[in-house]
Each structure stands twice: as structure tokens, then as C-alpha cells.
Amino acid sequence: MIKRIKLPGWIVIISLFLLLIVGVVSMMQGSSEAKEKTEDYSVYPGLNIKTKTKETDLYTFSVSQPYTEHKQINKVIDEWVDQQKTDFTSEINIMEDFLKKNEFRAHLNIQVETEKIADQIYTLEFEAYQITGGANGMTKVKPFILDLNQNKMLQLGDVLQVKEASIKEIQKLIMKELNSNKEINDYIFEELAKEAIKNPDNWKWSISRDKMGVYFDEYEIAAGAAGRIKVEIPMKKIKPYLNKDFVEKIDITFPEEKNNKEEEKHSEDMVELDPNGKYVALTFDDGPHPKVTPQILATLKKHDAKATFFMLGSQVDYYPTLANEVAEAGHEIGDHTMNHQDLTILGIDQIQAEVQQSNSVIKKAAGRTPNLLRPPYGALNDNVKQIAANMELPIIMWSVDSLDWKSRNATAVNEEVMANVAPGSIVLLHDIHPSTAEALPELLTTLEKQGYQMVTVSQLLELWEDKGVGPHYGNIK
Ligand code: ZN
């Protein structure tokens, strides 16, 4: 069953002066301490991740980008990401009329897979997908190998013995893997493939503890039907050609297994709410964030307020303990997909993958399966609703947009929310902007003064389902 009922508008305007308690406290602590605290949360020591999203009438984009303490390393990644944005923007300029005429929003998605291969050495496998109209989008792949001990990106020569004989053997291995892959071998243009791997300087490669990867963009060596290609050569085959120093590092470092909590914990206590009470559900999207989320948790705790966090799988992958802290504090966790893609431009299988991946990443980290779905940008179509229904995930939108993503200003956030809030409101906030964390103490105080109690989305909908609140889609169980 699908419901969509809008709240009546409600106007209460209160101007506020903010006490920047959080800011003052963190200033007193000093920035170095704050830095250490941030690193504690990442399962990839020395690495953190930021997911940036943007939405206009013409396009949406979402970029997940790891960063380090090393400027040089960040710069190399920045340059590649900026190049993708530039390409995308110039494509948008060309396609502007088409986009407007067809009411199609272009989308750029940059996502990353992170793997620790030795102490302070990481492989980042970036994938940039852009669609600016027409039927097919385009995917580009870019691997980086970071050595934080040496403060540099590893080059092929740091990993491989770049001797003619070794290179020849590896070229043979690559061709063999390409030809033995039944899914793609019909589409491969052998001459193009040989040409592409002729010069090792041009390889797009990565290394992990168990394999070497070699990448080809869509159309580079095969017909479009093959998509982008990743050849994987098992470690035991590639090991003889690796630098001994490098092999030793991999062998010595044994990344501790992540402390996954497999068992399902009890969901937060469902307190019986008063049908005549004033309740509001604050929701925080796009986290967890190593600095902002802990601040928000602390403020919520101080006010004994409960909230709902719509988490991104890509962020939870980096900060699983933080996801767990949110759950432990009794807040609700919803699913905001793996990579913050505009789901309406994806095929049904891709939509399912986006939701299922984040669902399992969150479950592993927080010990709890998210029971709500909020699609990125609130972008919905029938396929998204179908997948959500199949997975028994109610789709949760919002009735009050704090516009924190736009204003990045604590005072403005307070004003925007208080001008529009009403009993039963679902308020959209983001636990990735420091200004949102700054806004929260005042926001909670003001809401409390007006008699509001902060509850989770499920609690709110349980109470309000008969009366109708929303908009939301699907039933809360
Ligand atoms: Zn979002």
C-alpha cells in the first residue's frame, strides 16, 4: 500500500543566538587531539573518507573520496576526481538542451573500494560512472596504491620487478585471463588488448593480498557489451615477479579481521507514545562521519533524544564502530544505499545491488538490519518502490528539509526547521556537516521548550500511521 500525505504547513519563527559549545570545546582540546580521535574510528588507519553530494535541476552527483594526512597523496587523488567532474560538467553543457527537453537529470557517481594490503599500504579502486542522457552511461576505473609510510603512491616499479622477462610473463598471464573469461572473451579485440598492455607504464593496475588487478575502460579493448573489464591474476601466479621487499611487507602485515558483530541485537525499545503528544523525528543522512556523528550522538544523549540515521554503506565500510555506536545508543538505523547514486537512472538489478550491499555492510557493523530506506536525493520511481517492497523496506522521505546541505549555517538550520516543524514532522538533516552538529544543541532546546519529544521514525509512524504523516511509502511493521 502506498500513502502520500503532506503535512499542513506550520509557521513558527524564532530567531536564535548560538552558543558554539562544541566549537569552543574542540578549540580547547586542540586540533591534534581531535585528529587522533578521528583516526580511531577508521578501520583503515591513516585513511578517512568523505562523501560529497550535489543536486541541481540538471544533474546530481555523489563522490566518495578517501583522504590522508599527506598533501601530496591527496593532491593526486583530487586531480583525478576533479578531472572527472570537469569532463562531466562540459558534457552537461553540451547536453543541456536535451536534458531540459527530456526532463532527465544527469548523474555522476564516483565510488571507491578500499583494501588494506599491508601496514599503511592501501589499494583504492575508483569507479566513475557518468550518465548525461541517451541510453548508456560510461564507467571509468582508476586504481591507486597508497603507501602512507613513504608518503607516496606506489608505482609499478615499487611492486614489480620491471624487467623485460617479468613483464612478458605478466602480459601472457593477462592475455590468458582475458581469453579464459567466458563472460567477456567473445567481445575482446585481441589486437587492441595486446596494444593496450604493450607498455607497462600505461597499465591501470592494482595489487591486493591475493591478486593483481589490471583494468580496462569500457570500449578500450572490447565491445561495449563487455562493460569495463578487470583482469585478476591470482597472487601465487604473480608472486615470482614481485619485488621481494614488497612481498615481505604483505606477508608480514596481517590485517586483523574486522570485529564483525554477526548476531542480531534487539532493536531499540519501542516506547509506547502518547497519542496526543508532540513528537518529531530527526533524521541524519549520509554518515557516519568521524567528527560530526560523534558530536551529534553526544548532543542527542544530553537531551535524551532519539533519532534515525540513514547511513551510506560506503561510509559504514570505513567507520563500522561508529555505526555500532549509533545503534548502541538506541537510535534507529536506516539504509541510504551503498554509493548514493540516483536510483532512478539505474536498472532494477543495480538498484537491488545498491540497497542490498549497504544493508549487509550495516548489518555487519551495527548488528542490526536497517529497517527503513531513504533513496538518495529522494529520487523515486516504480523500480525503486518495487525493490523496496520486495525487501520489505518502507521508503521514508521527509516533511521538513532543514536545508543544512545548502546553508551550512547553524542559525539558518535552526530557523528553517523551526519555521516548518509540526507535530509528526520528519526532519531532514545530515550528519556530515559541522554546521549541523553546531545547530543541534539549540535546535533540541527550542523543540523541547515547545513541548516536542524527539523519537525515531519507526516510533513516530507507529503512532501516526492511522492519522497519516509523511510522506512515506509502504507499511511500518
Ligand atoms: Zn543523501
Side-chain angles (χ1 to χ4, degrees), residues 273-279 423 451 453 463-464 467:
L273 301 186
D274 173 2
N276 299 313
K278 274 174 100 176
Y279 300 105
Q453 199 180 324
L463 176 74
W464 281 74
K467 299 179 187 175

Side-chain angles (χ1 to χ4, degrees), residues 194-426:
K194 281 185 178 153
E195 191 58 36
I197 59 173
K198 203 171 180 178
N199 182 355
D201 291 342
N202 298 335
W203 292 1
K204 289 191 285 286
W205 62 278
S206 70
I207 191 91
S208 65
R209 282 197 298 142
D210 56 358
K211 59 186 174 288
M212 179 177 183
V214 182
Y215 306 79
F216 303 95
D217 286 336
E218 225 169 341
Y219 308 110
E220 189 178 347
I221 59 161
R228 64 98 159 169
I229 293 167
K230 179 181 181 183
V231 173
E232 294 182 340
I233 307 169
M235 184 48 88
K236 61 171 187 278
K237 286 190 191 168
I238 206 86
K239 216 168 182 172
Y241 312 112
L242 295 180
N243 275 335
K244 298 282 171 286
D245 290 356
F246 184 74
V247 172
E248 229 164 64
K249 272 185 206 157
I250 299 184
D251 286 344
I252 290 166
T253 314
F254 181 71
E256 331 79 69
E257 292 305 317
K258 286 177 205 167
N259 185 16
N260 292 328
K261 302 190 190 263
E262 292 288 353
E263 84 282 4
E264 188 87 2
K265 267 179 266 164
H266 293 295
S267 62
E268 65 278 4
D269 293 330
M270 283 293 221
V271 187
E272 194 67 28
L273 301 186
D274 173 2
N276 299 313
K278 274 174 100 176
Y279 300 105
V280 59
L282 302 183
T283 64
F284 295 94
D285 288 12
D286 297 359
H289 182 287
K291 277 184 190 156
V292 181
T293 308
Q295 281 182 30
I296 286 177
L297 285 179
T299 309
L300 289 169
K301 191 177 174 191
K302 217 177 258 173
H303 289 259
D304 198 20
K306 292 287 176 275
T308 303
F309 291 76
F310 288 95
M311 295 184 179
L312 280 178
S314 55
Q315 293 288 127
V316 175
D317 175 47
Y318 266 65
Y319 310 113
T321 53
L322 209 38
N324 191 47
E325 275 180 34
V326 172
E328 288 286 330
H331 303 295
E332 183 165 39
I333 297 183
D335 193 325
H336 198 39
T337 76
M338 193 66 198
N339 295 299
H340 212 279
Q341 302 216 56
D342 180 340
L343 297 180
T344 60
I345 53 145
L346 300 182
I348 200 150
D349 291 347
Q350 290 170 296
I351 298 172
Q352 180 148 337
E354 271 292 304
V355 181
Q356 260 168 0
Q357 271 184 42
S358 43
N359 231 259
S360 74
V361 170
I362 294 169
K363 188 189 171 185
K364 260 188 192 169
R368 187 193 300 169
T369 309
N371 56 335
L372 310 166
L373 173 68
R374 174 171 285 165
Y377 316 103
L380 270 179
N381 63 9
D382 287 344
N383 282 347
V384 176
K385 288 179 199 166
Q386 187 57 52
I387 294 293
N390 293 349
M391 294 177 70
E392 298 189 337
L393 288 169
I395 294 174
I396 306 297
M397 307 295 264
W398 54 90
S399 54
V400 177
D401 186 345
S402 69
L403 300 178
D404 62 342
W405 51 277
K406 213 171 168 181
S407 70
R408 308 288 181 93
N409 177 290
T411 311
V413 167
N414 271 281
E415 285 174 358
E416 189 64 33
V417 174
M418 293 318 296
N420 296 292
V421 74
S425 289
I426 297 176

Side-chain angles (χ1 to χ4, degrees), residues 12-250:
V12 181
I13 299 174
I14 293 177
S15 311
L16 301 161
F17 284 107
L18 276 185
L19 279 172
L20 302 179
I21 296 164
V22 178
V24 173
V25 169
S26 67
M27 257 194 298
M28 287 191 308
Q29 279 177 335
S31 58
S32 65
E33 216 169 293
K35 254 181 215 164
E36 274 167 36
K37 178 102 179 110
T38 300
E39 289 194 354
D40 285 347
Y41 280 113
S42 179
V43 289
Y44 307 108
L47 264 191
N48 276 290
I49 192 167
K50 247 183 215 148
T51 304
K52 284 186 198 150
T53 70
K54 194 178 173 186
E55 181 176 8
T56 74
D57 290 340
L58 280 182
Y59 64 88
T60 52
F61 82 61
S62 173
V63 177
S64 287
Q65 189 178 343
Y67 61 96
T68 72
E69 300 273 300
H70 305 287
K71 279 202 183 108
Q72 295 92 320
I73 290 181
N74 293 345
K75 200 177 146 218
V76 177
I77 299 174
D78 273 342
E79 276 167 6
W80 182 79
V81 169
D82 287 345
Q83 187 59 52
Q84 308 314 306
K85 285 187 191 164
T86 308
D87 291 352
F88 179 65
T89 316
S90 54
E91 192 71 19
I92 298 266
N93 288 337
I94 297 168
M95 299 295 286
E96 192 168 343
D97 290 340
F98 172 90
L99 295 171
K100 280 180 179 158
K101 202 157 68 188
N102 293 279
E103 289 182 15
F104 182 85
R105 272 209 301 190
H107 183 60
L108 170 67
N109 181 266
I110 297 181
Q111 58 193 65
V112 65
E113 252 179 61
T114 309
E115 193 175 344
K116 178 178 173 181
I117 50 178
D119 187 33
Q120 298 283 302
I121 302 181
Y122 300 100
T123 286
L124 302 180
E125 185 183 314
F126 278 94
E127 203 174 288
Y129 172 77
Q130 74 164 63
I131 181 162
T132 49
N136 296 314
M138 197 182 47
T139 305
K140 276 190 221 163
V141 182
K142 177 73 183 171
F144 292 105
I145 295 85
L146 278 53
D147 186 338
L148 302 185
N149 294 312
Q150 298 188 65
N151 187 14
K152 66 171 198 172
M153 299 283 184
L154 291 186
Q155 306 303 315
L156 199 61
D158 297 316
V159 172
L160 279 183
Q161 309 163 21
V162 194
K163 292 182 295 195
E164 213 187 319
S166 316
I167 295 296
K168 269 208 174 118
E169 287 307 314
I170 296 168
Q171 285 165 333
K172 266 190 221 164
L173 286 169
I174 297 171
M175 289 310 295
K176 213 173 139 194
E177 294 291 328
L178 277 174
N179 288 322
S180 63
N181 186 332
K182 286 199 179 71
E183 273 175 43
I184 55 165
N185 58 8
D186 282 350
Y187 304 113
I188 304 279
F189 303 118
E190 191 147 341
E191 288 313 308
L192 279 183
K194 281 185 178 153
E195 191 58 36
I197 59 173
K198 203 171 180 178
N199 182 355
D201 291 342
N202 298 335
W203 292 1
K204 289 191 285 286
W205 62 278
S206 70
I207 191 91
S208 65
R209 282 197 298 142
D210 56 358
K211 59 186 174 288
M212 179 177 183
V214 182
Y215 306 79
F216 303 95
D217 286 336
E218 225 169 341
Y219 308 110
E220 189 178 347
I221 59 161
R228 64 98 159 169
I229 293 167
K230 179 181 181 183
V231 173
E232 294 182 340
I233 307 169
M235 184 48 88
K236 61 171 187 278
K237 286 190 191 168
I238 206 86
K239 216 168 182 172
Y241 312 112
L242 295 180
N243 275 335
K244 298 282 171 286
D245 290 356
F246 184 74
V247 172
E248 229 164 64
K249 272 185 206 157
I250 299 184

